[in-house]
């Protein structure tokens, strides 16, 4: 019987690990717990459960371990250490997985954090005796979604959770025996990642996503930057730990930084190999750290001497890092595994895009290289390619790796076979010179996602397969390919030229490669369907199958025997007859298995048939071995499960060439090495090693597919074959081109009438090509313009729909009739948006409810309108009360029923235009939320009604302007006629419509606004213009009549009679005569002619005057029309101002109502907040008072006990007791001596002070490197102070002579009892002193809490009083006019009719505020005076300094202009060396000269 024993279990998934000691680290892997000995790098593993497990936590005493589950309704396992016995299993701690677990520093509590979806935080009590846990409380932290949890090292009552950019501070509260959790959210404007406690005031440090570190206060949640990354960064802090010297942070850029506590300077950085750091552990010696990464790498940082307490910065920087990688496993699920027989190595690929080579029998990771993106399958060659590994990818790639040297794998070939496809199977031929690889391709899904089966299933697309045959030993080429319309699940070689293929529809195909001979013309080497020589159909599809080397039992090789993993979770054996050559699927009978075995609860994934042993692996992580030769029984000979079932089970299965080892690679990132035969202990105890490896270099994917390469190769061969012909043709074309160039030059030099067009030299194909190119460019441009226009039209339509069609009334600015008069008023209307039908229905409902409320108030007749009382004159308050509305109550004569019958039911749209003044509330009753909202809605409707009413006035004014404009135009016709008759230039008012009076002007695009060049179609001006003119009315008759009648359609009644000059008086006439030759008749005729002429002149002058008068009257009428309209426009403008004022007042009312509503809601929210604060403070106060009372009660009991003991001691007088008590009373002679001996003092031993103890401890033993060791030391000292007894140094006593021995012994016993009593009294007194101090502290805290509670209650009462006062505050609008007395003057009489009652306290408070403001004003004035005094002093000093500057400048100028002599130069320079001697000699000479002269004069006088 085969044995299946696990020898090695390799892998790490990045979950939280735990240190069992300085040399052992425990982490989970799948459903196993792996313990690694860091000293000898050996590993041992334990199966925890059938489901995967996650985090690991160990208590401080290392007596118990907690392991979290990863499954639905996950729980925790409690194991004992070091024997790993399961103690307890607590279920339903979380819904999906346990994300973190941690013990408190004293080991009394265990905190467990669950993951999605509740993110619950559970707290457990730990019993050290039984090593069991019991639940305390549980809290859902869904809002913050924490991922990590830590206890405070000072107290187990403080917990910190971080995750999802949040940090929460939890506190354990115990109320009446119940335990609960309260939390405070950390306040920070950054995204947080992890946290750790510090020894400075118990504060917390938290890392951020930008690489910064923030410091938090656990009591308030406030944060301050502790260290900020200069210039910002993107490397998030993923782990934080705290040591005595530094804060140690690991970031996502694989850098570990050491920050000094005092100056926050980075003293050292250490670069690591892991790129996905998740956790950091600190060793017990505090000089080693372990960094864990989710990419499967575990590294150690060992700094010898770091545990020293007084470590200098320079010494720390010089400490070498003696750590390194401990483990380098897969950073994700494995996708395939194979066995390299020539090297006895296992080769794996995984989702981390890395190929690893494992020397499993020696437990060595030989090498790892980048495999390329998304590997899916792997296999090793056979025979000549036994040291070649082939990898298929989900990107339709295939790569060949040479593993002749396992330490340095290299790529010897790669190919991109398809544009899109997933490699499922790759298998070598028996000779090893060919490989078959199968790709699945989705036919109807054009997606870059490699996992497209789900998309194909949802979109209704089909999946086809393409099988490539690649041949070669070191150089590989694609020799054949076959495309099928089904999805191939597995491929197995039966010989060097034939393959068996299983498909998703249950068919088994036999492909004979010898049926197809590759052709040189077909570069793709596509094989026809005729190569499929046999076809069988199974009862259920085979996911994987293995081919048995034996026959079907008849003795001849006439059938294939296969073992298939079926979809019904069974292993089925089929016999496929080689003689049946069927290719039509409709005529094939379904094959039934002749033997089958039950596999398990999950589908099979891997199958291997070696030496009549059948190895199977399923998706639940189970490995089974069956005897294939016997084929009897459903029970496997060996079975074991070490892989997780939640991550795809087993992805790779391979057996060593000596059949002693079985290697499984799981989707959980775990590699299990199984021994199929007994091995020695030296193999099991082999430590894990990592060969020195170079840095991974990313492999670039091939971008050109095999199809494109084949086409390029075919073109190259064709070009090579016909190269000579092409060269000859090219030479001929060059000759023709040169001749054509000569013809062009001759044409250029020819005469103009002989020249040809350039197009004549173009060949027909070239001309057609250019024309086709032009047409295509034109079509492309048209298409581009079309879509551009469609886009612009769509945008324009959207803008019009949202900004124009949504408006009920558009903006219109009405101007005067005279455009040359700019001072005329301009009146715009109100642009009103369309009211939705829903709001109209809501308004109707509100009106109805207001009417119902009004009728209810009228029926109750008990409401008094305060506005009516305030506004009503004296004597009118006796009338009946009114409703809360502003309108008056209807008269009693009018019946509501009659009114209802007379009213006509209006539609919603019509009713929305009615005024709402009668429905408005009084300003004194809008203090509730519903009334406030109703009032705001009604006021908004009132604004709408007023705007609509004003817009009607604007429309009427606009219509009037049109009529007045028509009148002016009619008047202008007559003015034009008069001016024409008067022969004067036309000067008249021509009214025009302003552009602002047309609301649709914004929709009109003018030609000058178009920036691009405009093009019109041919004939648009002619035909289009004629059509437009034809659309107009035919007014040719009217125009002809006006032209004939001088643009007048009225008849001119004034007829002008022509007066002719007599012929004899006309010089141009032949009958002209001189005046002296006229006859009397002719003279008479000439006089009549002159009279007629004078009469016509008089008539024309009269007519001109009449026309001028008429012109003045008509122009006056025009001016009257213009001025009348201007006056109307001015009045409308004033109306607009009044309406704007009213609307602003209503808007202000709405704003005030909204402000009051918001203020009231804020006050209510603040009141609730204050109430919660008061409740919290009240609970704390009650706790503090309860503790103080308990302490007072215990103190009183202890004091009573001490007083009782003291009284008993006082009653027992030593002298009297000795003299009266037997046997001392029998020896009275010795009583005085015994009393002296009894009184001899006993002094306690002198205890060493704490300073001396600390000094001795520092000399005897080194200080602990643990930064939180002082917590335990303080606890131990506290216990010693409570429980220790004073040791009395007893004095040596000598027995008096003659005293009996028994009496002396009794005396010594009596003295010992007295000493014990004194010692007990002293202990009791010390305890009483300690309890008194503690009680005083508790009483002080209770008083502080009580004072705080009183302050909070007083604050709540003041706030509630303020709320009540402000609830009924009113904002009343008043309109004042400057220079007008608004208050009505009345006689000074004592009339209190309009007086209001104000509380005296309000007046006193107001007076106090006024005095306070006055006092503050006086203080400010004094401060201003002092400030001005300082300013004046500074100005005086400045003025003095200015004068000093002027004086110094004058002195400087005088010094510069001073005449300098040689003597002065010598004086300035300090003089010559003998300057003083010269002066002295000169003075002495002068003295001598004076003396001689004086002597001479004296002598001279004497002689005289």
């Amino acid at each position: 019987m085969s044995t299946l024993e696990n020898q090695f279990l390799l892998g790490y998934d990045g979950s939280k690990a735990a240190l069992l000691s300085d040399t052992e680290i425990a982490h989970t892997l799948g459903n196993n717990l792996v313990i690694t000995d860091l000293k000898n790098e050996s590993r041992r593993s334990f199966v925890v459960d059938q489901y995967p497990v996650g985090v690991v936590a160990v208590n401080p005493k290392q007596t118990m371990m907690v392991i979290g589950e990863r499954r639905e309704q996950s729980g925790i396992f409690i194991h004992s250490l070091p024997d790993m016995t399961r103690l307890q299993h607590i279920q339903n701690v979380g819904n999906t997985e346990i994300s973190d677990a941690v013990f408190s520093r004293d080991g009394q509590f265990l905190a467990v954090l669950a993951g999605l979806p509740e993110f619950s935080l559970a707290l457990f009590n730990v019993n050290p005796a039984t090593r069991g846990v019991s639940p305390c409380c549980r809290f859902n932290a869904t809002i913050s979604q924490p991922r990590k949890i830590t206890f405070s090292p000072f107290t187990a009552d403080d917990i910190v959770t971080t995750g999802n950019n949040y940090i929460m501070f939890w506190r354990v509260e115990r109320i009446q025996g119940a335990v609960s959790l309260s939390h405070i959210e950390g306040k920070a404007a950054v995204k947080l990642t992890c946290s750790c406690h510090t020894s400075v005031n118990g504060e917390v440090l938290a890392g951020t996503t930008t690489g910064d570190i923030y410091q938090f206060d656990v009591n308030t949640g406030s944060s301050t930057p502790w260290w900020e990354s200069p210039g910002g960064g993107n490397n998030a802090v993923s782990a934080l730990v705290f040591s005595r010297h530094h804060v140690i942070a690991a970031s996502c850029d694989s850098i570990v930084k050491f920050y000094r506590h005092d100056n926050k300077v980075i003293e050292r950085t250490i670069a690591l190999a892991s790129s996905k750091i998740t956790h950091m552990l600190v060793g017990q010696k505090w000089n080693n750290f372990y960094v864990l990464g989710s990419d499967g790498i575990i590294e150690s940082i060992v700094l010898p001497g770091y545990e020293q307490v007084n470590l200098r910065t320079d010494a720390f920087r010089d400490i070498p890092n003696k750590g390194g990688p401990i483990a380098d496993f897969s950073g994700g699920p494995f996708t395939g595994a194979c066995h390299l027989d020539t090297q006895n190595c296992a080769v794996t690929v995984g989702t981390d895009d890395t190929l690893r080579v494992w020397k499993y029998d020696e437990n060595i990771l030989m090498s790892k290289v980048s495999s390329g993106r998304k590997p899916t399958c792997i296999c090793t060659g056979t025979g000549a390619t036994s040291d070649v590994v082939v990898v298929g990818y989900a990107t339709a790639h295939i790569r060949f790796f040479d593993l002749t040297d396992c330490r340095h794998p290299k790529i010897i070939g790669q190919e991109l076979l398809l544009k899109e496809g997933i490699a499922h199977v790759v298998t070598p031929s028996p000779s090893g010179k060919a490989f078959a690889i199968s790709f699945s391709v989705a036919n109807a899904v054009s997606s870059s996602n490699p996992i497209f089966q789900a998309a194909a299933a949802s979109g209704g697309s089909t999946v086809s397969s393409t099988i490539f045959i690649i041949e070669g030993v070191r150089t590989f080429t694609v020799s054949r390919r076959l495309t099928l319309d089904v999805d191939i699940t597995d491929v197995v070689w039966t010989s060097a030229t034939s393959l068996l293929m299983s498909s998703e529809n249950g068919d088994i195909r036999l492909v004979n490669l010898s049926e197809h001979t590759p052709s040189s013309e077909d570069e793709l080497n596509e094989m026809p369907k005729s190569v499929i020589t046999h076809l069988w159909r199974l009862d259920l599809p085979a996911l994987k199958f293995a081919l048995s080397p034996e026959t079907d039992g008849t003795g001849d090789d006439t059938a294939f025997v296969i073992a298939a993993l079926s979809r019904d979770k069974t292993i089925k054996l089929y016999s496929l007859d080689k003689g049946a050559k069927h290719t039509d699927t409709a005529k094939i009978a379904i094959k039934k298995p002749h033997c089958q075995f039950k596999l398990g609860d999950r589908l099979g994934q891997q199958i291997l048939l070696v030496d009549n042993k059948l190895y199977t692996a399923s998706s639940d992580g189970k490995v089974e071995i069956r005897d294939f030769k016997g084929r009897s029984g459903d029970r496997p000979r060996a079975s074991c499960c070490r892989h997780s079932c939640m991550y795809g089970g087993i992805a790779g299965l391979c057996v060593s060439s000596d059949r002693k080892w079985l290697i499984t690679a799981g989707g959980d990132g775990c590699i299990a090495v199984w021994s199929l035969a007994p091995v020695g202990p030296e193999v099991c105890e082999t430590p894990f090693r990592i060969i020195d490896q170079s840095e991974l270099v990313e492999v670039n994917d091939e971008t050109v597919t095999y199809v494109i390469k084949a086409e390029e190769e075919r073109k190259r061969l064709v070009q090579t074959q016909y190269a000579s012909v092409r060269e000859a043709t090219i030479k001929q074309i060059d000759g023709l081109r040169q001749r054509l160039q000569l013809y062009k030059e001759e044409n250029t030099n020819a005469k103009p009438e002989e020249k040809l067009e350039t197009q004549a030299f173009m060949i027909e194909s070239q001309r057609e090509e250019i024309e086709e190119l032009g047409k295509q460019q034109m079509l492309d441009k048209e298409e581009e313009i079309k879509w551009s226009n469609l886009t612009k039209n769509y945008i324009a339509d959207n803008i019009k729909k949202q900004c124009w069609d949504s408006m009920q009334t558009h903006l219109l600015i009405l101007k005067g009739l005279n455009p040359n008069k700019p001072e005329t008023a301009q009146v715009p209307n109100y642009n009103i948006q369309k009211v939705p039908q829903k709001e109209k229905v809501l308004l109707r409902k509100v009106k109805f409810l207001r009417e119902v409320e009004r009728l209810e108030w009228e029926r109750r007749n008990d409401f008094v309108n305060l506005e009516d009382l305030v506004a009503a004159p004296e004597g009118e308050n006796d009338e009946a009360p009114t409703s809360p509305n502003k309108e008056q109550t209807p008269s009693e004569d009018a019946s509501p029923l009659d009114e209802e019958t007379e009213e006509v039911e209006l539609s919603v749209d019509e009713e929305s235009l009615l005024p709402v003044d009668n429905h408005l509330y009084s300003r004194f009753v809008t203090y509730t939320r519903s009334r406030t909202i109703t009032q705001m809605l009604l006021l908004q409707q009132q604004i709408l009604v007023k705007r609509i009413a004003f817009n009607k006035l604007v429309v009427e004014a606009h219509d009037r302007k049109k009529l007045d404009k028509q009148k002016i135009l009619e008047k202008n016709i007559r003015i034009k006629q008069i001016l024409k008759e008067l022969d004067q230039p036309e000067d008249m008012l021509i009214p025009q419509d302003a552009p602002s009076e047309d609301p649709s002007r914004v929709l009109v695009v003018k030609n000058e606004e178009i920036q691009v060049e405009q093009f019109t179609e041919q004939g648009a001006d002619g035909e289009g213009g004629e059509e437009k003119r034809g659309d107009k009315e035919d007014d040719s008759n009217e125009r002809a009549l006006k032209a004939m009648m001088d643009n007048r359609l009225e008849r001119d009644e004034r007829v002008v009679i022509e007066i002719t000059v007599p012929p004899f008086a006309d010089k141009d006439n032949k009958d002209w005569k001189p005046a002296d030759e006229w006859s009397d008749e002719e003279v008479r005729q000439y006089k009549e002619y002159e009279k007629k002429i004078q009469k016509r002149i008089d008539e024309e002058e009269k007519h001109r005057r009449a026309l001028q008068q008429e012109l003045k009257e008509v122009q006056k009428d025009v001016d009257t029309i213009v001025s009348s309209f201007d006056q109307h426009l001015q009045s409308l403008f004033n109306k607009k101002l009044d309406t704007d004022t009213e609307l602003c007042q209503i808007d202000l009312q709405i704003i005030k109502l909204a402000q009051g509503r918001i203020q009231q809601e804020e006050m209510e929210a603040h009141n609730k907040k204050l109430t919660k604060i008061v409740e919290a403070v009240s609970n704390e106060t009650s706790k503090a008072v309860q503790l103080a009372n308990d302490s007072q009660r215990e103190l009183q009991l202890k004091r009573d006990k001490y007083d009782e003991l003291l009284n008993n001691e006082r009653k027992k007088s030593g002298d009297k007791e000795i003299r009266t008590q037997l046997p001392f009373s029998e020896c009275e002679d010795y009583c005085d001596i015994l009393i002296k001996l009894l009184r001899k003092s006993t002094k306690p031993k002198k205890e060493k002070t704490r300073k001396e103890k600390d000094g001795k401890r520092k000399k005897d033993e080194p200080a602990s490197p643990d930064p939180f060791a002082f917590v335990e030391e303080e606890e131990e000292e506290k216990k010693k102070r409570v429980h220790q007894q004073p040791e009395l140094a007893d004095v040596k006593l000598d027995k008096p002579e003659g005293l009996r021995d028994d009496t002396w012994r009794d005396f010594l016993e009596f003295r010992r009892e007295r000493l014990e009593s004194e010692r007990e009294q002293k202990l009791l007194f010390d305890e009483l002193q300690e309890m008194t101090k503690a009680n005083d502290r508790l009483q002080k805290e209770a008083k502080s809490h009580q004072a705080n509670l009183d302050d909070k209650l007083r604050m709540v009462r003041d706030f509630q009083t303020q709320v009540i006062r402000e609830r009924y505050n009113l904002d009343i609008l008043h309109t004042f006019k400057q220079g007008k007395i608004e208050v009505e003057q009345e006689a000074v009489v004592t009339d209190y009719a309009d007086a209001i009652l104000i509380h005296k306290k309000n007046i006193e408070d107001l007076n106090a505020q006024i005095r306070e403001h006055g006092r503050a004003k006086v203080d400010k004035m004094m401060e201003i005076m002092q400030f001005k005094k300082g300013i004046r002093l500074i100005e005086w000093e400045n003025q003095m300094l200015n004068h000093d500057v002027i004086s110094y400048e004058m002195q400087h100028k005088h010094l510069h202009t001073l005449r300098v002599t040689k003597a002065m130069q010598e004086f300035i320079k300090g003089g010559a060396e003998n300057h003083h001697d010269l002066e002295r000699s000169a003075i002495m000479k002068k003295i001598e000269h004076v003396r001689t002269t004086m002597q001479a004069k004296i002598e001279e006088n004497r002689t005289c």
Side-chain angles (χ1 to χ4, degrees), residues 1118-1131:
V1118 172
D1119 293 339
T1120 303
I1121 294 172
V1122 173
S1123 62
S1124 176
F1125 183 76
D1126 289 345
Q1127 291 176 3
H1128 180 69
L1129 197 63
Q1130 184 65 35
S1131 64

Side-chain angles (χ1 to χ4, degrees), residues 1180-1431:
E1180 293 179 0
T1181 304
S1182 61
K1183 294 178 184 178
V1185 171
Q1186 182 67 28
L1187 291 174
N1189 294 335
D1190 295 342
S1191 176
Q1192 184 69 28
R1193 187 166 50 253
E1194 293 177 0
L1195 178 62
Q1196 188 63 35
L1197 294 175
K1198 186 67 70 174
R1199 184 178 286 114
D1200 294 342
K1201 183 178 179 182
Y1202 177 75
D1203 293 340
E1204 182 181 358
L1205 182 61
L1206 190 61
N1207 293 331
N1208 292 335
E1209 288 297 326
R1210 288 175 180 175
K1211 291 179 182 179
K1212 296 179 181 179
S1213 176
D1215 301 346
K1216 184 178 179 181
E1217 193 171 0
I1218 288 179
R1219 295 181 185 277
T1220 58
Q1221 185 177 356
L1222 291 175
F1224 310 121
S1225 58
E1226 296 178 353
C1227 49
E1228 296 180 358
D1229 298 336
Y1230 295 94
C1231 286
D1232 296 335
I1233 299 175
L1234 294 177
I1235 289 173
K1236 290 180 181 180
L1237 293 177
L1238 182 63
R1239 291 177 179 177
K1240 206 164 189 179
S1241 62
T1242 57
K1243 297 182 180 180
K1245 292 182 180 179
K1246 184 178 180 181
E1247 295 183 358
K1248 296 182 180 179
T1249 62
R1250 183 176 180 180
K1251 185 176 182 180
E1252 294 175 351
K1253 289 182 179 180
D1254 293 342
K1256 184 178 179 181
R1257 183 185 61 188
K1258 289 180 181 179
K1259 293 179 181 179
D1260 296 344
E1261 57 184 18
S1264 174
D1266 187 356
F1268 306 109
F1270 66 92
V1271 178
E1272 285 82 1
E1273 293 176 359
E1274 290 180 355
E1275 190 69 24
E1276 291 294 331
E1277 290 181 0
K1278 184 177 179 181
K1279 292 180 180 179
K1280 289 180 179 179
R1281 287 198 304 268
V1282 174
H1283 298 289
Q1284 71 180 359
Q1285 295 182 358
E1287 298 180 2
L1288 300 178
D1290 198 359
V1291 296
K1292 186 176 181 181
L1293 300 179
D1294 296 330
K1295 185 181 73 169
E1297 296 181 0
L1299 187 65
R1300 294 183 311 192
D1301 293 337
D1302 56 347
T1303 304
W1304 177 249
R1305 286 194 299 270
D1306 293 339
F1307 172 75
L1308 293 178
E1309 182 65 22
F1310 176 75
R1311 185 174 182 277
R1312 188 186 62 77
E1313 291 177 358
R1314 288 294 303 273
L1315 292 177
E1316 289 293 335
S1317 177
E1318 291 177 0
R1319 185 181 294 110
E1320 183 180 0
Q1321 181 179 353
K1322 181 172 178 54
L1323 286 174
L1324 196 59
F1325 179 76
D1326 294 339
E1327 292 179 6
L1328 186 62
Q1329 292 293 330
E1330 291 289 338
M1331 292 183 67
T1332 302
K1333 292 180 182 179
N1335 180 65
D1336 294 341
R1337 180 176 55 81
L1338 292 176
Q1339 293 293 339
K1340 186 177 180 180
E1341 291 179 357
K1343 291 180 181 179
S1344 175
H1345 282 85
Q1346 188 64 38
N1348 188 18
L1349 178 61
D1350 295 339
D1351 293 340
K1352 299 298 182 184
L1353 291 174
R1354 183 171 56 258
M1355 181 174 61
V1356 171
R1357 286 195 298 270
D1358 295 343
F1359 180 75
Q1360 291 176 351
T1361 304
Q1362 180 185 359
V1363 170
I1364 294 173
R1365 290 181 179 177
E1366 294 184 359
R1367 179 175 297 175
Y1368 300 101
N1369 284 351
L1370 294 176
D1371 293 322
I1372 302 175
L1373 298 177
H1374 291 282
T1375 305
F1376 298 98
K1377 186 175 181 181
Q1378 187 176 3
K1380 181 180 178 181
I1381 299 176
E1382 300 289 344
V1383 182
E1384 183 179 356
Q1385 299 294 328
E1386 296 181 357
V1388 182
V1389 294
T1390 309
D1391 185 10
Y1392 297 103
D1394 296 334
I1396 59 175
L1397 206 59
I1398 301 176
H1399 199 277
K1400 181 180 178 182
K1401 187 176 182 303
N1402 296 337
I1403 299 175
E1404 293 176 353
D1405 293 343
L1406 185 60
N1407 291 336
Q1409 292 179 6
I1410 293 172
R1411 294 190 189 94
E1412 185 65 26
H1413 288 315
R1415 190 179 301 107
K1417 186 175 181 180
V1418 171
D1419 294 339
K1420 289 295 182 182
M1421 292 173 67
M1422 292 295 294
E1423 187 177 349
I1424 291 171
M1425 184 181 68
Q1426 296 295 333
F1427 189 72
K1428 286 185 176 180
K1429 186 187 294 183
I1431 292 175

Side-chain angles (χ1 to χ4, degrees), residues 131-146:
R131 291 184 291 184
V133 298
S134 59
C136 291
C137 62
R138 185 173 178 176
F139 191 89
N140 290 338
T142 310
I143 298 177
S144 60
Q145 299 182 6

Side-chain angles (χ1 to χ4, degrees), residues 809-810 812-815 826-830 832 944-962 964 997 1125 1127-1140 1142-1143:
T809 305
H810 302 91
L812 181 146
I813 302 176
L814 191 61
K815 297 183 178 181
Q826 301 180 6
V827 181
N829 67 341
Y830 294 103
I832 302 174
L944 179 62
V945 170
K946 288 183 179 296
R947 288 182 175 178
I948 293 174
F950 180 79
N951 286 346
K952 290 181 180 179
L953 297 178
V954 175
V955 172
E956 293 174 358
H958 192 228
D959 296 339
R960 177 180 174 179
K961 182 180 179 180
K962 291 180 179 179
D964 292 345
E997 296 177 3
F1125 183 76
Q1127 291 176 3
H1128 180 69
L1129 197 63
Q1130 184 65 35
S1131 64
L1132 190 61
F1133 179 75
N1134 296 332
K1135 179 68 175 177
K1136 177 71 165 53
L1137 294 179
D1138 296 339
T1139 306
D1140 287 341
E1142 294 178 4
L1143 297 183

Side-chain angles (χ1 to χ4, degrees), residues 146 457 624 759:
E624 294 179 347
Q759 298 178 355

Side-chain angles (χ1 to χ4, degrees), residues 825-884:
Q826 301 180 6
V827 181
N829 67 341
Y830 294 103
N831 48 346
I832 302 174
Q833 192 175 5
K834 291 181 181 179
V835 181
Q837 192 69 17
K838 185 177 180 180
E839 295 184 6
K840 293 180 181 179
V841 174
L842 178 62
L843 178 64
R844 186 175 189 176
K845 182 179 179 181
V846 169
K847 286 183 178 181
F848 174 76
L849 295 177
R850 281 291 296 121
E851 187 66 24
V852 171
E853 186 179 11
R854 185 181 65 81
L855 293 175
E856 181 181 356
W857 282 108
E858 289 178 359
R859 291 189 184 95
R860 291 175 57 182
N861 201 16
D862 58 351
F863 182 82
V864 179
N865 194 344
L866 297 178
E867 289 187 352
D868 298 338
L869 294 178
V870 173
E874 183 179 1
E876 295 184 4
N877 292 335
D878 298 333
E879 298 179 1
T882 60
S883 66

Side-chain angles (χ1 to χ4, degrees), residues 1062-1064 1073 1075 1077-1089:
F1064 56 85
K1073 296 179 181 180
E1077 295 180 1
W1078 290 350
S1079 62
D1080 295 337
E1081 182 63 23
E1082 290 175 346
V1083 171
R1084 184 184 64 78
Q1085 290 179 0
Y1086 187 77
K1087 288 182 178 179
E1088 290 179 358
Y1089 167 74

